[in-house]
Amino acid sequence: MNSLASARRSWQLGCVLRLRRGLTLIELVVVIAILGILGVVIVSTTGGSSAALKSDQERINEVASELDLLSRAIAFFEPTKTAISFKQTVGVYPSRLSHLTGGITTAKQNSCGTNYTSGQVALWIGGYYTRELPGFNLEDLLVRSPVNANAQQHGTLAIVIPNVTLSDAQLLDQTVDRDASATAATVRFAPDDGSTPVTVSYLSAIGGC
């Protein structure tokens, strides 16, 4: 009887141990599965964010490059090189972007608000800038500061880009000026109160009309 009871207790203990061992393995498998799922979610989330950030930076890099080309088409002046800009060929700065591609007449005005002369009209060669700025719509009017300038006065000429998200404006400012203050150097935007969208101004230094 004692041996039978002992065998029964051993069998019961073995069952309990097997049950406990089985539950432990199941729990371990569940934990591993949960950790695996969490790992996939974390990697995909951070990877997606990095890809989106990289895509935004690449897009803004392209915009910055195009704005530089457009600015050069308007105001670049280098006497030792072939004339490629409106300023270098016509002799004055345009008041509108459409003057780069659509021609000028004596009824149209330069950046100082005076009419083009017939001689300046004859110097216009066209096709100064025929590309498009990816993802942005530019205002046709170029904004000169100071407004009431004369032929000897220096100032700035701004390419105006309305309805830009604050994040894009800050990234463009950081890319071009290495600064996101909104009020320094080439790229400026307003309002500067954290609201969105904003209007971006891309400035070129100019002298005269």
Side-chain angles (χ1 to χ4, degrees):
M1 292 292 294
N2 289 336
S3 60
L4 181 60
S6 178
R8 181 178 297 173
R9 283 195 298 272
S10 297
W11 178 81
Q12 290 174 339
L13 180 60
C15 289
V16 171
L17 290 175
R18 283 195 297 273
L19 180 60
R20 288 181 178 175
R21 188 178 299 113
L23 290 174
T24 301
L25 289 174
I26 291 173
E27 290 171 353
L28 182 60
V29 169
V30 170
V31 169
I32 292 174
I34 292 173
L35 290 176
I37 293 171
L38 289 175
V40 170
V41 170
I42 291 172
V43 169
S44 62
T45 301
T46 56
S49 299
S50 298
L53 181 60
K54 183 178 180 181
S55 176
D56 285 343
Q57 184 63 68
E58 289 175 345
R59 179 171 54 85
I60 294 301
N61 285 345
E62 185 178 356
V63 171
S65 177
E66 289 298 327
L67 283 170
D68 179 63
L69 290 175
L70 178 54
S71 177
R72 288 172 177 269
I74 294 169
F76 180 77
F77 189 86
E78 175 52 67
T80 63
K81 295 184 179 180
T82 303
I84 60 170
S85 74
F86 189 98
K87 166 64 176 177
Q88 193 165 359
T89 55
V90 177
V92 291
Y93 299 100
S95 60
R96 293 182 177 274
L97 288 176
S98 56
H99 293 182
L100 300 178
T101 56
I104 57 175
T105 67
T106 55
K108 296 180 179 180
Q109 296 180 331
N110 62 31
S111 67
C112 288
T114 56
N115 289 39
Y116 294 112
T117 67
S118 57
Q120 291 167 344
V121 171
L123 292 171
W124 187 89
I125 60 175
Y128 297 100
Y129 183 86
T130 57
R131 300 158 65 92
E132 292 185 359
L133 204 64
F136 292 88
N137 295 315
L138 307 182
E139 288 189 358
D140 187 38
L141 183 66
L142 296 168
V143 178
R144 185 193 172 97
S145 180
V147 177
N148 298 317
N150 56 51
Q152 287 76 42
Q153 195 166 9
H154 288 73
T156 60
L157 197 63
I159 300 167
V160 180
I161 316 170
N163 299 318
V164 179
T165 64
L166 179 60
S167 59
D168 276 355
Q170 290 173 332
L171 190 55
L172 179 63
D173 195 5
Q174 184 67 43
T175 300
V176 175
D177 297 329
R178 300 294 185 267
D179 182 287
S181 65
T183 58
T186 302
V187 175
R188 304 184 183 185
F189 56 88
D192 184 22
D193 57 5
S195 60
T196 189
V198 298
T199 297
V200 172
S201 295
Y202 186 92
L203 306 183
S204 297
I206 61 173
C209 290

